[in-house]
Amino acid sequence: MADLTITVAVTTGTQYITGSTSNIFTFDGSQPASFTFPWVEDGTVRLEQSGSSNDGHPLIFSTSNSTVLATMRTGIISSGVTYYLDGSSNESDYTNTTTFNAATTRYIEITPAAATDFYFACWVHGIGMGGIVDITQTTWGALGYGHPSWGGITAS
């Protein structure tokens, strides 16, 4: 179960790296500040992509911020990231736009195990639609009060 669910939509805005105006991912109606989405290690976030604006834009996580689509795709992260279509976990179906678009419920759950940075991007259109996921040990407000928390330490 996710600690937090965020609704993802695709709108027009300023793209990461290029700075041009085109399609971008927004989280709960806003583009992440400075293209950076902060989250805490060991916290689980669900990124809900069921809205129709996401059709043709499977969000993925990658170790690469390359503007070369093939390079960005080779960095797709599978450890600590689960891609779901209609309740079933299947990364290759998630990145296939035919099965992605046909699904009623689409979401990703991430549970990063260490403080690090990686990138979110569109499988089809690349890093420009995305940005940086900044995983920290103590992002204030990312987890609810009294929830098992940062760095594996349990809040009391």
Side-chain angles (χ1 to χ4, degrees):
M1 174 169 220
D3 298 318
L4 177 67
T5 298
I6 295 172
T7 301
V8 177
V10 174
T11 62
T12 301
T14 304
Q15 289 201 320
Y16 177 64
I17 296 180
T18 67
S20 62
T21 300
S22 194
N23 286 335
I24 61 165
F25 288 115
T26 59
F27 297 154
D28 287 340
S30 299
Q31 183 171 12
S34 302
F35 304 100
T36 303
F37 172 65
W39 192 244
V40 291
E41 65 178 288
D42 295 322
T44 301
V45 63
R46 177 180 289 186
L47 296 158
E48 175 65 51
Q49 271 201 288
S50 296
S52 63
S53 71
N54 291 287
D55 288 354
H57 303 289
L59 186 147
I60 60 109
F61 295 97
S62 178
T63 58
S64 172
N65 71 342
S66 176
T67 57
V68 176
L69 193 58
T71 303
M72 186 269 312
R73 286 178 174 177
T74 61
I76 192 169
I77 298 172
S78 299
S79 178
V81 179
T82 310
Y83 301 85
Y84 292 94
L85 293 179
D86 292 332
S88 296
S89 169
N90 187 319
E91 182 180 309
S92 63
D93 282 350
Y94 197 91
T95 56
N96 175 317
T97 55
T98 301
T99 52
F100 181 84
N101 292 349
T104 304
T105 305
R106 308 175 286 213
Y107 62 91
I108 305 165
E109 287 189 346
I110 62 170
T111 307
T116 188
D117 288 339
F118 53 91
Y119 305 92
F120 63 98
C122 176
W123 177 260
V124 177
H125 301 103
I127 193 67
M129 289 183 65
I132 303 166
V133 179
D134 181 23
I135 305 301
T136 65
Q137 290 184 340
T138 57
T139 300
W140 178 254
L143 295 177
Y145 176 78
H147 194 281
S149 66
W150 312 304
I153 300 169
T154 303
S156 53

